[in-house]
Amino acid sequence: MTRILHFLLFRADFFEKIPVDVPPTPKPTPLYKPAPEIRPDISDNFPRAGKADSPSALPEIPPWNKPPRPHIGEKTPLFIGFTRNWRLLQQVVVSYITAGWPPEDIYVVDNSGVMQSNPKGQLSLQNPFYLNYNRLTTLLEVNVLTTPTLLTFAQLQNFFTFTALEKQWEHYFWAHMDSPVVSDEEFEEQGQPYESLYMRAVNVMRKTMEPDYGLLAARWFAYDRLSLVRTQAFVDVGGWDTLIPYYMTDCDMHERLWMRNFTIEDAKAGLIYDVASAIDDLELFYRRKPRSIKREEKPELPPIEQPAPVLKADGRNSLEYHELLKKLDEMQRAKNEDKAGRNTWQSAQQGGQGEPFYRDGAGFEQGISMTMNFGRDVFEAKWGRGLCDLRKAGLSENDAWRVISDWEKEEVQQKAKKDRHREMKERQKQEKENQKRGSGGKPITEPDR
């Protein structure tokens, strides 16, 4: 019987060691989000520029808005930052040129993060980060600066200031790429002759250059859709806080300027819009309309091809001018009333697959949104509150990163009061113990008074 048991145990142990074919656990496969809605392809919104081979093939700037020649004595650099949406960028550049800003003073900052892909023409129109470098520099004759990588809003602002320092500009302007402008052709102040948006902005700048003007940091035109910056003021407060990448970084910067007694003042120069779309044909900004060329009809001659229409200026404060304003008003209202948000233009394009530095459009937008939320958290940690009115709340520049989170709430104030009281009692207790140890363990009596 014992032998039988040993044999059975041996056989059981033997069979346990025989490998059994067990089907492997299936490896998880990636699960994908729903495919984004396919949007229609965009078209270029300056057809005449697409056919032009030189600046002379473009319409002329409205004669009443032409910049002074020779250039005025002061330097008037204008930065326009670009990350995505070529149609909106081209619209704002054309609008400033036709409002009188000298093209050689306009600096488009290519902040697409695609390095040399745009100068080399390696991206297609459907790519959100596409920028027509040749058209900007050769036809529109503006400057293009390229950032080495994708910068946040705060970093881009510091890049503007850094460039101004490098070029020794005491002042500079900067504009949003979704804010086209138009000279106010109905504006005449105290009988003064008409001036373009550019010349009115120049006059504002000249006033700020007067020796007794005071501690000015910036002049805002239509909030900060167009801004005039005094370079040294931004340097004096340490520039923009790049730890707060997007939203709330403007609040942080402006509050710190005010804490140093710098001023930010409103100004007017013309009509400045805030839009999320672009006009389909930017030739409207040039304010020129077709005029047919008449020729004497002679029945005996064979028909000939009609010459291309000659474009003439439509006149200041014309019907066409008001049609342009109406269109821009409609675009601005549509942006403000869009239930999907005001900045849908930033994710309007989906193309570019297979091109250099390709990024998934929806993923890029999500990443930017997450970075924005992170910046809000940093601002709240820095100042102990999420609201913008720091000075009104009693904060000063030295309070940054030193205040308790939510310090304004009653329960936080009460807890802090209790903590201070407890710390004071513990400190008093420690001091008494130190006095006892210093007297050899005997309590120290106070001298007679």
Side-chain angles (χ1 to χ4, degrees):
M1 187 68 181
T2 303
R3 289 181 179 179
I4 294 174
L5 287 174
H6 279 288
F7 174 77
L8 292 175
L9 288 173
F10 169 78
R11 292 294 299 261
D13 182 63
F14 173 78
F15 283 112
E16 281 181 4
K17 294 179 181 180
I18 296 177
V20 179
D21 291 334
V22 178
T25 303
K27 184 179 180 179
T29 58
L31 301 177
Y32 295 98
K33 305 172 185 176
E37 178 185 355
I38 302 299
R39 298 190 176 119
D41 287 348
I42 66 167
S43 59
D44 189 83
N45 55 336
F46 200 175
R48 182 174 288 268
K51 301 174 183 177
D53 56 2
S54 68
S56 62
L58 298 180
E60 291 187 10
I61 297 170
W64 53 89
N65 282 341
K66 285 188 176 182
R69 295 299 183 204
H71 195 285
I72 63 172
E74 300 89 349
K75 296 177 181 178
T76 54
L78 168 64
F79 292 113
I80 303 174
F82 167 81
T83 298
R84 47 189 166 157
N85 199 313
W86 161 249
R87 282 169 58 95
L88 257 68
L89 175 77
Q90 185 171 219
Q91 175 172 261
V92 76
V93 170
V94 166
S95 76
Y96 272 100
I97 292 174
T98 54
W101 215 283
E104 65 269 24
D105 287 4
I106 298 176
Y107 290 79
V108 172
V109 180
D110 179 3
N111 184 43
S112 57
V114 299
M115 298 192 182
Q116 294 300 315
S117 301
N118 279 319
K120 293 180 179 179
Q122 295 175 330
L123 306 187
S124 65
L125 177 63
Q126 305 310 318
N127 192 314
F129 307 99
Y130 164 86
L131 177 145
N132 193 323
Y133 193 95
N134 180 66
R135 183 175 300 177
L136 290 173
T137 58
T138 303
L139 295 180
L140 297 175
E141 300 182 290
V142 304
N143 307 280
V144 179
L145 304 176
T146 303
T147 60
T149 189
L150 178 68
L151 304 180
T152 67
F153 178 79
Q155 291 170 333
L156 185 62
Q157 289 293 329
N158 283 342
F159 180 79
F160 294 166
T161 305
F162 171 81
T163 304
L165 288 171
E166 289 283 291
K167 295 183 178 294
Q168 298 182 350
W169 294 334
E170 294 182 1
H171 295 79
Y172 64 87
F173 294 85
W174 73 272
H176 292 264
M177 61 165 285
D178 56 347
S179 294
V181 301
V182 179
S183 293
D184 186 352
E185 298 184 9
E186 296 181 281
F187 178 80
E188 290 186 9
E189 187 176 31
Q190 297 179 352
Q192 297 297 317
Y194 167 82
E195 289 183 310
S196 67
L197 176 140
Y198 171 69
M199 285 309 303
R200 290 179 63 187
V202 167
N203 291 336
V204 170
M205 183 188 71
R206 284 172 172 165
K207 290 180 181 178
T208 67
M209 297 172 70
E210 296 174 358
D212 58 348
Y213 196 85
L215 281 174
L216 178 78
R219 299 294 301 270
W220 283 347
F221 303 82
Y223 185 56
D224 68 350
R225 296 175 190 173
L226 170 65
S227 293
L228 167 64
V229 172
R230 186 177 278 179
T231 307
Q232 192 57 46
F234 278 32
V235 172
D236 286 347
V237 297
W240 295 68
D241 188 344
T242 54
L243 296 176
I244 309 174
Y246 292 99
Y247 287 119
M248 302 308 292
T249 194
D250 55 344
C251 172
D252 174 86
M253 178 62 168
H254 300 148
E255 286 286 326
R256 287 188 290 113
L257 285 165
W258 284 318
M259 289 172 182
R260 290 279 193 97
N261 295 320
F262 285 105
T263 61
I264 300 175
E265 300 171 2
D266 292 331
K268 293 182 179 179
L271 306 175
I272 307 177
Y273 295 85
D274 179 26
V275 301
S277 56
I279 292 175
D280 288 330
D281 190 348
L282 298 180
E283 203 162 333
L284 290 175
F285 282 95
Y286 287 87
R287 305 285 305 289
R288 301 200 167 248
K289 54 186 179 181
R291 179 181 63 185
S292 60
I293 298 178
K294 296 182 179 180
R295 66 180 178 90
E296 184 180 354
E297 296 293 340
K298 295 185 178 181
E300 67 274 13
L301 295 177
I304 61 174
E305 184 178 350
Q306 183 75 6
V310 173
L311 300 177
K312 65 175 183 179
D314 63 14
R316 183 160 65 90
N317 197 23
S318 64
L319 177 62
E320 287 80 5
Y321 165 73
H322 289 280
E323 286 295 323
L324 174 61
L325 300 192
K326 180 181 178 182
K327 178 65 176 175
L328 292 169
D329 279 330
E330 291 172 352
M331 292 161 59
Q332 180 168 258
R333 186 167 60 252
K335 178 176 184 176
N336 292 330
E337 295 176 357
D338 191 342
K339 294 181 180 179
R342 300 181 67 258
N343 292 322
T344 54
W345 60 270
Q346 294 178 346
S347 56
Q349 294 168 249
Q350 300 172 322
Q353 290 84 349
E355 297 175 0
F357 294 91
Y358 169 73
R359 307 181 186 102
D360 177 81
F364 183 83
E365 181 65 20
Q366 182 179 0
I368 292 292
S369 179
M370 294 169 69
T371 308
M372 290 176 179
N373 290 333
F374 167 77
R376 292 186 178 97
D377 292 341
V378 173
F379 177 88
E380 187 169 351
K382 180 177 181 179
W383 297 107
R385 67 197 309 269
L387 301 178
C388 191
D389 50 347
L390 304 180
R391 292 165 301 129
K392 186 177 179 181
L395 293 169
S396 66
E397 186 179 13
N398 293 330
D399 291 325
W401 297 109
R402 298 180 61 234
V403 290
I404 298 172
S405 181
D406 296 327
W407 56 270
E408 294 171 283
K409 293 182 179 179
E410 178 64 25
E411 58 269 26
V412 176
Q413 290 281 338
Q414 290 298 328
K415 182 179 182 302
K417 185 177 180 179
K418 291 179 180 179
D419 289 344
R420 287 194 299 270
H421 182 69
R422 185 184 67 253
E423 290 172 1
M424 182 182 68
K425 293 185 71 174
E426 290 176 353
R427 187 166 56 250
Q428 290 174 343
K429 180 179 178 182
Q430 185 65 43
E431 289 174 353
K432 289 182 179 179
E433 291 178 354
N434 291 339
Q435 288 178 345
K436 288 181 179 180
R437 285 195 293 269
S439 61
K442 299 179 180 179
I444 300 175
T445 58
E446 291 185 357
D448 295 336
R449 301 194 179 199

